[in-house]
Amino acid sequence: MALYLRKKLENKAEIAVWQITETEDELWALSSVPNDEMEEISLIRSESQRKQKLAVRALLNEVFEEKMYLNHHDNGKPYLENCVTNISITHTEKYVAIITHDEDDLGIDIESLDRDFSAVEKKALSEDEIEDLDVEKRNEQLAIYWCAKEAIFKRMSQNRVDFAEQIEVEKFRPKGEGELEATFIHKDEHEEEFELEYITFDRHVLVWLVG
């Protein structure tokens, strides 16, 4: 079993992270995939993507006592068919992570810090955010910006969100773990404020929000 992290938060949410160390066959054995989803996963051409899907299932089996039936709304937001618990899911080639809460809306995102995030600056950051970038930790900071905005995007569950214009993250300096403040600006200019948390581990950054 490759449960890497399981953490209960003060707000009663729970985070769980699975490190993908198994072979694909081992993940099939661990994941208890419902029949209607087995063919869907089997048709995915990328072995890495198949393993990520299976690792999510294995992680659900680890976290929940009962077998969970995972589905997605038309906008891609995941939900559990046989449970009222809210869920958000994220994955990379090496890790998958979920966050759950019985009532509140959620968002979570993970990225590898070995990825080049230079494109994020142009497509997802405002002028103020670009000015706040730290030269020495630029890529790490861009990764945290991206994860934060992705987590908020998942939380809001809206189509056609302009990351640069509609999601503002307050100035921060990258650390091993920390908190972030951000604002989501609706199309009608109504603003919602959010507090996010993040941790870095094994050259990855994980960002989440609850509420």
Side-chain angles (χ1 to χ4, degrees), residues 111 115 120 123-124 142-150 163:
E111 292 288 352
R115 173 184 162 189
V120 170
K123 71 178 183 180
L142 286 170
I144 295 172
Y145 267 123
W146 179 252
C147 284
K149 296 196 176 201
E150 272 286 327
F163 278 32

Side-chain angles (χ1 to χ4, degrees), residues 1-3 17-63 67-68 70 72 89-98:
M1 305 291 273
L3 183 65
V17 181
W18 184 281
Q19 184 180 21
I20 304 174
T21 58
E22 302 82 2
T23 65
E24 185 174 346
D25 286 342
E26 288 172 334
L27 285 171
W28 275 109
L30 289 169
S31 56
S32 302
V33 180
N35 292 335
D36 59 349
E37 196 177 340
M38 291 179 72
E39 182 179 1
E40 179 185 334
I41 293 177
S42 298
L43 292 174
I44 298 174
R45 292 186 177 183
S46 166
E47 179 185 356
S48 174
Q49 291 181 10
R50 290 196 303 272
K51 289 174 70 174
Q52 290 172 42
K53 291 279 190 181
L54 292 169
V56 169
R57 285 294 186 179
L59 184 53
L60 290 176
N61 283 355
E62 180 72 15
V63 170
K67 184 176 180 179
M68 287 295 114
L70 180 68
H72 295 81
I89 300 171
T90 184
H91 39 77
T92 64
E93 187 171 355
K94 193 172 181 180
Y95 291 95
V96 300
I98 65 172

Side-chain angles (χ1 to χ4, degrees), residues 169-203:
V169 179
E170 295 297 320
K171 184 176 181 178
F172 69 95
R173 288 290 171 263
K175 299 179 292 185
E177 60 182 280
E179 298 178 352
L180 303 168
E181 294 184 358
T183 303
F184 183 87
I185 305 167
H186 291 264
K187 298 286 176 61
D188 63 1
E189 298 187 355
H190 170 66
E191 297 184 359
E192 284 189 63
E193 296 183 353
F194 294 104
E195 293 183 357
L196 304 93
E197 296 181 69
Y198 72 91
I199 56 173
T200 57
F201 60 91
D202 190 24
R203 298 289 300 160

Side-chain angles (χ1 to χ4, degrees), residues 109 111-113 115 117 120 138-148 205 207:
D109 197 60
E111 292 288 352
S112 168
L113 292 173
R115 173 184 162 189
F117 286 91
V120 170
R138 192 179 196 86
N139 199 63
E140 181 180 353
Q141 197 168 8
L142 286 170
I144 295 172
Y145 267 123
W146 179 252
C147 284
V205 59
V207 181

Side-chain angles (χ1 to χ4, degrees), residues 82-94:
N82 56 324
C83 182
V84 296
T85 299
N86 292 322
I87 188 169
S88 184
I89 300 171
T90 184
H91 39 77
T92 64
E93 187 171 355
K94 193 172 181 180

